mmCIF file of all heavy atoms in Angstrom:
data_model
loop_
_atom_site.group_PDB
_atom_site.id
_atom_site.type_symbol
_atom_site.label_atom_id
_atom_site.label_comp_id
_atom_site.label_asym_id
_atom_site.label_seq_id
_atom_site.Cartn_x
_atom_site.Cartn_y
_atom_site.Cartn_z
ATOM 1 N N ALA I 1 52.550 91.798 100.022
ATOM 2 C CA ALA I 1 53.802 92.446 99.637
ATOM 3 C C ALA I 1 54.838 92.470 100.753
ATOM 4 O O ALA I 1 56.038 92.486 100.475
ATOM 5 C CB ALA I 1 53.519 93.874 99.184
ATOM 6 N N ILE I 2 54.426 92.458 102.010
ATOM 7 C CA ILE I 2 55.365 92.605 103.133
ATOM 8 C C ILE I 2 56.430 91.507 103.164
ATOM 9 O O ILE I 2 57.611 91.811 103.291
ATOM 10 C CB ILE I 2 54.615 92.726 104.470
ATOM 11 C CG1 ILE I 2 54.002 94.117 104.563
ATOM 12 C CG2 ILE I 2 55.522 92.466 105.657
ATOM 13 C CD1 ILE I 2 53.162 94.343 105.791
ATOM 14 N N PRO I 3 56.094 90.216 103.050
ATOM 15 C CA PRO I 3 57.166 89.204 103.069
ATOM 16 C C PRO I 3 58.193 89.389 101.961
ATOM 17 O O PRO I 3 59.389 89.184 102.171
ATOM 18 C CB PRO I 3 56.410 87.881 102.915
ATOM 19 C CG PRO I 3 55.045 88.162 103.402
ATOM 20 C CD PRO I 3 54.769 89.590 103.034
ATOM 21 N N GLY I 4 57.743 89.767 100.779
ATOM 22 C CA GLY I 4 58.677 90.009 99.675
ATOM 23 C C GLY I 4 59.604 91.175 99.968
ATOM 24 O O GLY I 4 60.796 91.125 99.672
ATOM 25 N N LEU I 5 59.066 92.226 100.561
ATOM 26 C CA LEU I 5 59.904 93.379 100.913
ATOM 27 C C LEU I 5 60.922 93.003 101.982
ATOM 28 O O LEU I 5 62.084 93.419 101.924
ATOM 29 C CB LEU I 5 59.022 94.538 101.391
ATOM 30 C CG LEU I 5 58.115 95.164 100.328
ATOM 31 C CD1 LEU I 5 57.169 96.164 100.968
ATOM 32 C CD2 LEU I 5 58.945 95.823 99.254
ATOM 33 N N GLN I 6 60.497 92.219 102.968
ATOM 34 C CA GLN I 6 61.432 91.782 104.014
ATOM 35 C C GLN I 6 62.518 90.889 103.429
ATOM 36 O O GLN I 6 63.695 91.010 103.791
ATOM 37 C CB GLN I 6 60.669 91.045 105.116
ATOM 38 C CG GLN I 6 59.781 91.944 105.934
ATOM 39 C CD GLN I 6 58.894 91.169 106.888
ATOM 40 O OE1 GLN I 6 58.570 90.003 106.658
ATOM 41 N NE2 GLN I 6 58.488 91.822 107.975
ATOM 42 N N ARG I 7 62.132 89.995 102.529
ATOM 43 C CA ARG I 7 63.107 89.109 101.882
ATOM 44 C C ARG I 7 64.110 89.931 101.082
ATOM 45 O O ARG I 7 65.317 89.680 101.137
ATOM 46 C CB ARG I 7 62.361 88.114 100.988
ATOM 47 C CG ARG I 7 63.246 87.145 100.264
ATOM 48 C CD ARG I 7 62.467 86.118 99.441
ATOM 49 N NE ARG I 7 61.517 86.719 98.538
ATOM 50 C CZ ARG I 7 60.197 86.571 98.610
ATOM 51 N NH1 ARG I 7 59.663 85.845 99.571
ATOM 52 N NH2 ARG I 7 59.395 87.157 97.724
ATOM 53 N N ASN I 8 63.642 90.919 100.340
ATOM 54 C CA ASN I 8 64.544 91.775 99.562
ATOM 55 C C ASN I 8 65.496 92.543 100.469
ATOM 56 O O ASN I 8 66.663 92.749 100.127
ATOM 57 C CB ASN I 8 63.743 92.743 98.696
ATOM 58 C CG ASN I 8 63.031 92.031 97.564
ATOM 59 O OD1 ASN I 8 63.356 90.888 97.240
ATOM 60 N ND2 ASN I 8 62.060 92.697 96.984
ATOM 61 N N ASN I 9 65.006 92.976 101.630
ATOM 62 C CA ASN I 9 65.855 93.692 102.587
ATOM 63 C C ASN I 9 66.962 92.778 103.121
ATOM 64 O O ASN I 9 68.121 93.173 103.203
ATOM 65 C CB ASN I 9 64.998 94.246 103.724
ATOM 66 C CG ASN I 9 65.768 95.174 104.618
ATOM 67 O OD1 ASN I 9 66.796 95.704 104.235
ATOM 68 N ND2 ASN I 9 65.280 95.368 105.825
ATOM 69 N N ARG I 10 66.595 91.547 103.486
ATOM 70 C CA ARG I 10 67.607 90.597 103.970
ATOM 71 C C ARG I 10 68.613 90.268 102.867
ATOM 72 O O ARG I 10 69.815 90.176 103.124
ATOM 73 C CB ARG I 10 66.939 89.329 104.493
ATOM 74 C CG ARG I 10 66.207 89.511 105.805
ATOM 75 C CD ARG I 10 65.750 88.188 106.377
ATOM 76 N NE ARG I 10 64.804 87.492 105.528
ATOM 77 C CZ ARG I 10 63.485 87.619 105.592
ATOM 78 N NH1 ARG I 10 62.942 88.434 106.470
ATOM 79 N NH2 ARG I 10 62.699 86.926 104.784
ATOM 80 N N ASN I 11 68.149 90.107 101.630
ATOM 81 C CA ASN I 11 69.059 89.820 100.516
ATOM 82 C C ASN I 11 69.999 90.986 100.253
ATOM 83 O O ASN I 11 71.175 90.781 99.945
ATOM 84 C CB ASN I 11 68.268 89.476 99.258
ATOM 85 C CG ASN I 11 67.687 88.076 99.304
ATOM 86 O OD1 ASN I 11 68.118 87.239 100.091
ATOM 87 N ND2 ASN I 11 66.697 87.836 98.471
ATOM 88 N N ALA I 12 69.502 92.201 100.381
ATOM 89 C CA ALA I 12 70.368 93.380 100.200
ATOM 90 C C ALA I 12 71.438 93.417 101.286
ATOM 91 O O ALA I 12 72.598 93.757 101.022
ATOM 92 C CB ALA I 12 69.534 94.659 100.230
ATOM 93 N N GLN I 13 71.069 93.048 102.514
ATOM 94 C CA GLN I 13 72.044 93.014 103.604
ATOM 95 C C GLN I 13 73.085 91.926 103.358
ATOM 96 O O GLN I 13 74.270 92.126 103.595
ATOM 97 C CB GLN I 13 71.333 92.778 104.945
ATOM 98 C CG GLN I 13 72.229 92.982 106.130
ATOM 99 C CD GLN I 13 72.781 94.395 106.167
ATOM 100 O OE1 GLN I 13 72.023 95.357 106.175
ATOM 101 N NE2 GLN I 13 74.078 94.532 106.168
ATOM 102 N N ARG I 14 72.644 90.760 102.863
ATOM 103 C CA ARG I 14 73.594 89.691 102.529
ATOM 104 C C ARG I 14 74.553 90.147 101.429
ATOM 105 O O ARG I 14 75.738 89.868 101.477
ATOM 106 C CB ARG I 14 72.845 88.441 102.061
ATOM 107 C CG ARG I 14 72.247 87.649 103.167
ATOM 108 C CD ARG I 14 71.628 86.352 102.663
ATOM 109 N NE ARG I 14 70.892 85.734 103.743
ATOM 110 C CZ ARG I 14 69.610 85.939 103.996
ATOM 111 N NH1 ARG I 14 68.900 86.716 103.220
ATOM 112 N NH2 ARG I 14 69.028 85.350 105.016
ATOM 113 N N GLU I 15 74.016 90.835 100.431
ATOM 114 C CA GLU I 15 74.849 91.337 99.338
ATOM 115 C C GLU I 15 75.899 92.303 99.875
ATOM 116 O O GLU I 15 77.056 92.269 99.447
ATOM 117 C CB GLU I 15 73.965 92.023 98.290
ATOM 118 C CG GLU I 15 74.688 92.402 97.033
ATOM 119 C CD GLU I 15 75.054 91.221 96.158
ATOM 120 O OE1 GLU I 15 74.292 90.250 96.108
ATOM 121 O OE2 GLU I 15 76.119 91.288 95.521
ATOM 122 N N ASP I 16 75.521 93.143 100.820
ATOM 123 C CA ASP I 16 76.475 94.051 101.473
ATOM 124 C C ASP I 16 77.572 93.271 102.195
ATOM 125 O O ASP I 16 78.751 93.600 102.091
ATOM 126 C CB ASP I 16 75.747 94.927 102.494
ATOM 127 C CG ASP I 16 75.577 96.344 102.027
ATOM 128 O OD1 ASP I 16 75.995 96.646 100.906
ATOM 129 O OD2 ASP I 16 75.027 97.135 102.808
ATOM 130 N N ASP I 17 77.157 92.251 102.946
ATOM 131 C CA ASP I 17 78.120 91.451 103.695
ATOM 132 C C ASP I 17 79.085 90.724 102.760
ATOM 133 O O ASP I 17 80.287 90.679 103.007
ATOM 134 C CB ASP I 17 77.388 90.442 104.588
ATOM 135 C CG ASP I 17 76.611 91.111 105.702
ATOM 136 O OD1 ASP I 17 76.877 92.294 106.001
ATOM 137 O OD2 ASP I 17 75.717 90.465 106.269
ATOM 138 N N ILE I 18 78.551 90.169 101.680
ATOM 139 C CA ILE I 18 79.397 89.465 100.713
ATOM 140 C C ILE I 18 80.377 90.452 100.066
ATOM 141 O O ILE I 18 81.544 90.132 99.857
ATOM 142 C CB ILE I 18 78.529 88.763 99.648
ATOM 143 C CG1 ILE I 18 77.668 87.664 100.291
ATOM 144 C CG2 ILE I 18 79.370 88.206 98.523
ATOM 145 C CD1 ILE I 18 78.445 86.563 100.966
ATOM 146 N N SER I 19 79.911 91.654 99.782
ATOM 147 C CA SER I 19 80.800 92.678 99.208
ATOM 148 C C SER I 19 81.924 93.035 100.172
ATOM 149 O O SER I 19 83.066 93.237 99.749
ATOM 150 C CB SER I 19 80.004 93.930 98.859
ATOM 151 O OG SER I 19 79.089 93.660 97.839
ATOM 152 N N ASN I 20 81.605 93.113 101.463
ATOM 153 C CA ASN I 20 82.645 93.397 102.464
ATOM 154 C C ASN I 20 83.680 92.284 102.522
ATOM 155 O O ASN I 20 84.882 92.543 102.604
ATOM 156 C CB ASN I 20 82.017 93.592 103.846
ATOM 157 C CG ASN I 20 81.322 94.914 103.981
ATOM 158 O OD1 ASN I 20 81.596 95.845 103.244
ATOM 159 N ND2 ASN I 20 80.409 95.002 104.926
ATOM 160 N N ILE I 21 83.216 91.038 102.487
ATOM 161 C CA ILE I 21 84.141 89.906 102.516
ATOM 162 C C ILE I 21 85.003 89.906 101.247
ATOM 163 O O ILE I 21 86.222 89.708 101.310
ATOM 164 C CB ILE I 21 83.370 88.575 102.661
ATOM 165 C CG1 ILE I 21 82.674 88.512 104.023
ATOM 166 C CG2 ILE I 21 84.303 87.387 102.494
ATOM 167 C CD1 ILE I 21 81.709 87.353 104.167
ATOM 168 N N ALA I 22 84.376 90.148 100.103
ATOM 169 C CA ALA I 22 85.128 90.180 98.833
ATOM 170 C C ALA I 22 86.166 91.298 98.841
ATOM 171 O O ALA I 22 87.290 91.116 98.364
ATOM 172 C CB ALA I 22 84.162 90.351 97.661
ATOM 173 N N ALA I 23 85.804 92.458 99.403
ATOM 174 C CA ALA I 23 86.757 93.571 99.483
ATOM 175 C C ALA I 23 87.933 93.218 100.378
ATOM 176 O O ALA I 23 89.085 93.556 100.079
ATOM 177 C CB ALA I 23 86.057 94.822 99.986
ATOM 178 N N ALA I 24 87.651 92.524 101.488
ATOM 179 C CA ALA I 24 88.731 92.114 102.380
ATOM 180 C C ALA I 24 89.664 91.119 101.691
ATOM 181 O O ALA I 24 90.889 91.216 101.804
ATOM 182 C CB ALA I 24 88.152 91.505 103.662
ATOM 183 N N ILE I 25 89.089 90.176 100.950
ATOM 184 C CA ILE I 25 89.912 89.189 100.237
ATOM 185 C C ILE I 25 90.732 89.871 99.145
ATOM 186 O O ILE I 25 91.922 89.575 98.972
ATOM 187 C CB ILE I 25 89.025 88.069 99.661
ATOM 188 C CG1 ILE I 25 88.489 87.218 100.807
ATOM 189 C CG2 ILE I 25 89.787 87.214 98.663
ATOM 190 C CD1 ILE I 25 87.470 86.194 100.394
ATOM 191 N N THR I 26 90.129 90.809 98.439
ATOM 192 C CA THR I 26 90.862 91.551 97.412
ATOM 193 C C THR I 26 92.015 92.326 98.030
ATOM 194 O O THR I 26 93.112 92.385 97.468
ATOM 195 C CB THR I 26 89.908 92.503 96.658
ATOM 196 O OG1 THR I 26 88.856 91.729 96.081
ATOM 197 C CG2 THR I 26 90.628 93.263 95.567
ATOM 198 N N GLY I 27 91.782 92.911 99.200
ATOM 199 C CA GLY I 27 92.850 93.621 99.898
ATOM 200 C C GLY I 27 93.997 92.705 100.275
ATOM 201 O O GLY I 27 95.170 93.075 100.131
ATOM 202 N N ILE I 28 93.672 91.503 100.727
ATOM 203 C CA ILE I 28 94.718 90.536 101.077
ATOM 204 C C ILE I 28 95.521 90.157 99.834
ATOM 205 O O ILE I 28 96.759 90.135 99.863
ATOM 206 C CB ILE I 28 94.098 89.269 101.702
ATOM 207 C CG1 ILE I 28 93.521 89.584 103.079
ATOM 208 C CG2 ILE I 28 95.130 88.162 101.831
ATOM 209 C CD1 ILE I 28 92.709 88.452 103.662
ATOM 210 N N VAL I 29 94.832 89.849 98.739
ATOM 211 C CA VAL I 29 95.515 89.447 97.502
ATOM 212 C C VAL I 29 96.412 90.576 96.999
ATOM 213 O O VAL I 29 97.549 90.350 96.593
ATOM 214 C CB VAL I 29 94.486 89.018 96.432
ATOM 215 C CG1 VAL I 29 95.150 88.820 95.083
ATOM 216 C CG2 VAL I 29 93.781 87.746 96.866
ATOM 217 N N ASN I 30 95.915 91.799 97.051
ATOM 218 C CA ASN I 30 96.726 92.940 96.600
ATOM 219 C C ASN I 30 97.947 93.146 97.495
ATOM 220 O O ASN I 30 99.026 93.483 97.008
ATOM 221 C CB ASN I 30 95.883 94.210 96.565
ATOM 222 C CG ASN I 30 94.877 94.191 95.450
ATOM 223 O OD1 ASN I 30 95.000 93.429 94.496
ATOM 224 N ND2 ASN I 30 93.849 95.017 95.558
ATOM 225 N N ASN I 31 97.788 92.959 98.793
ATOM 226 C CA ASN I 31 98.915 93.122 99.719
ATOM 227 C C ASN I 31 99.934 91.994 99.585
ATOM 228 O O ASN I 31 101.102 92.167 99.931
ATOM 229 C CB ASN I 31 98.429 93.195 101.162
ATOM 230 C CG ASN I 31 97.718 94.496 101.446
ATOM 231 O OD1 ASN I 31 97.893 95.483 100.736
ATOM 232 N ND2 ASN I 31 96.893 94.505 102.476
ATOM 233 N N ASN I 32 99.484 90.825 99.105
ATOM 234 C CA ASN I 32 100.380 89.677 98.946
ATOM 235 C C ASN I 32 100.876 89.521 97.511
ATOM 236 O O ASN I 32 101.260 88.426 97.096
ATOM 237 C CB ASN I 32 99.686 88.385 99.376
ATOM 238 C CG ASN I 32 99.504 88.325 100.868
ATOM 239 O OD1 ASN I 32 100.174 89.025 101.619
ATOM 240 N ND2 ASN I 32 98.581 87.495 101.311
ATOM 241 N N LYS I 33 100.837 90.594 96.744
ATOM 242 C CA LYS I 33 101.340 90.605 95.363
ATOM 243 C C LYS I 33 100.686 89.539 94.494
ATOM 244 O O LYS I 33 101.344 88.863 93.714
ATOM 245 C CB LYS I 33 102.857 90.441 95.361
ATOM 246 C CG LYS I 33 103.555 91.567 96.089
ATOM 247 C CD LYS I 33 105.036 91.348 96.141
ATOM 248 C CE LYS I 33 105.658 92.464 96.966
ATOM 249 N NZ LYS I 33 107.047 92.235 97.266
ATOM 250 N N GLY I 34 99.374 89.366 94.652
ATOM 251 C CA GLY I 34 98.617 88.463 93.796
ATOM 252 C C GLY I 34 98.545 87.031 94.252
ATOM 253 O O GLY I 34 97.924 86.208 93.587
ATOM 254 N N LYS I 35 99.153 86.693 95.385
ATOM 255 C CA LYS I 35 99.075 85.310 95.864
ATOM 256 C C LYS I 35 97.675 85.034 96.407
ATOM 257 O O LYS I 35 97.001 85.926 96.898
ATOM 258 C CB LYS I 35 100.102 85.065 96.963
ATOM 259 C CG LYS I 35 101.525 85.123 96.460
ATOM 260 C CD LYS I 35 102.486 84.861 97.588
ATOM 261 C CE LYS I 35 103.917 85.013 97.103
ATOM 262 N NZ LYS I 35 104.868 84.945 98.202
ATOM 263 N N THR I 36 97.265 83.779 96.333
ATOM 264 C CA THR I 36 95.927 83.425 96.807
ATOM 265 C C THR I 36 95.830 83.561 98.320
ATOM 266 O O THR I 36 96.828 83.561 99.033
ATOM 267 C CB THR I 36 95.561 81.980 96.409
ATOM 268 O OG1 THR I 36 96.558 81.108 96.930
ATOM 269 C CG2 THR I 36 95.467 81.823 94.919
ATOM 270 N N VAL I 37 94.614 83.641 98.790
ATOM 271 C CA VAL I 37 94.339 83.825 100.212
ATOM 272 C C VAL I 37 94.574 82.511 100.945
ATOM 273 O O VAL I 37 94.217 81.441 100.463
ATOM 274 C CB VAL I 37 92.872 84.261 100.400
ATOM 275 C CG1 VAL I 37 92.567 84.546 101.836
ATOM 276 C CG2 VAL I 37 92.570 85.465 99.551
ATOM 277 N N THR I 38 95.173 82.592 102.128
ATOM 278 C CA THR I 38 95.379 81.393 102.948
ATOM 279 C C THR I 38 94.270 81.306 103.990
ATOM 280 O O THR I 38 93.571 82.275 104.272
ATOM 281 C CB THR I 38 96.733 81.440 103.664
ATOM 282 O OG1 THR I 38 96.720 82.524 104.595
ATOM 283 C CG2 THR I 38 97.876 81.606 102.683
ATOM 284 N N SER I 39 94.131 80.124 104.582
ATOM 285 C CA SER I 39 93.094 79.951 105.605
ATOM 286 C C SER I 39 93.378 80.812 106.831
ATOM 287 O O SER I 39 92.461 81.254 107.510
ATOM 288 C CB SER I 39 92.956 78.483 105.991
ATOM 289 O OG SER I 39 94.194 77.982 106.438
ATOM 290 N N THR I 40 94.660 81.093 107.123
ATOM 291 C CA THR I 40 95.000 81.978 108.241
ATOM 292 C C THR I 40 94.490 83.381 107.980
ATOM 293 O O THR I 40 93.931 84.030 108.875
ATOM 294 C CB THR I 40 96.531 82.018 108.440
ATOM 295 O OG1 THR I 40 97.014 80.691 108.590
ATOM 296 C CG2 THR I 40 96.902 82.844 109.639
ATOM 297 N N GLU I 41 94.645 83.843 106.762
ATOM 298 C CA GLU I 41 94.157 85.182 106.418
ATOM 299 C C GLU I 41 92.634 85.243 106.431
ATOM 300 O O GLU I 41 92.040 86.236 106.857
ATOM 301 C CB GLU I 41 94.707 85.594 105.046
ATOM 302 C CG GLU I 41 96.205 85.809 105.063
ATOM 303 C CD GLU I 41 96.810 85.829 103.676
ATOM 304 O OE1 GLU I 41 96.289 85.170 102.762
ATOM 305 O OE2 GLU I 41 97.835 86.517 103.510
#
């Protein structure tokens, strides 16, 4: 069971990180009145 639990823990951390990135991108889009994100942003 230990490897599966460790894998689930790493996946939960990745999900957190992806959520943070998505929130940052959503913030950029909202601040730019719906325009898509640029590579600079």
Side-chain angles (χ1 to χ4, degrees):
I2 285 176
L5 293 172
Q6 290 172 334
R7 180 177 53 244
N8 290 344
N9 189 20
R10 288 189 298 269
N11 284 342
Q13 191 60 57
R14 282 185 189 91
E15 188 72 34
D16 254 1
D17 293 343
I18 296 299
S19 295
N20 285 339
I21 294 170
I25 290 173
T26 302
I28 291 171
V29 171
N30 289 341
N31 289 340
N32 289 341
K33 299 177 184 170
K35 293 181 184 172
T36 57
V37 184
T38 65
S39 57
T40 306
E41 292 164 330

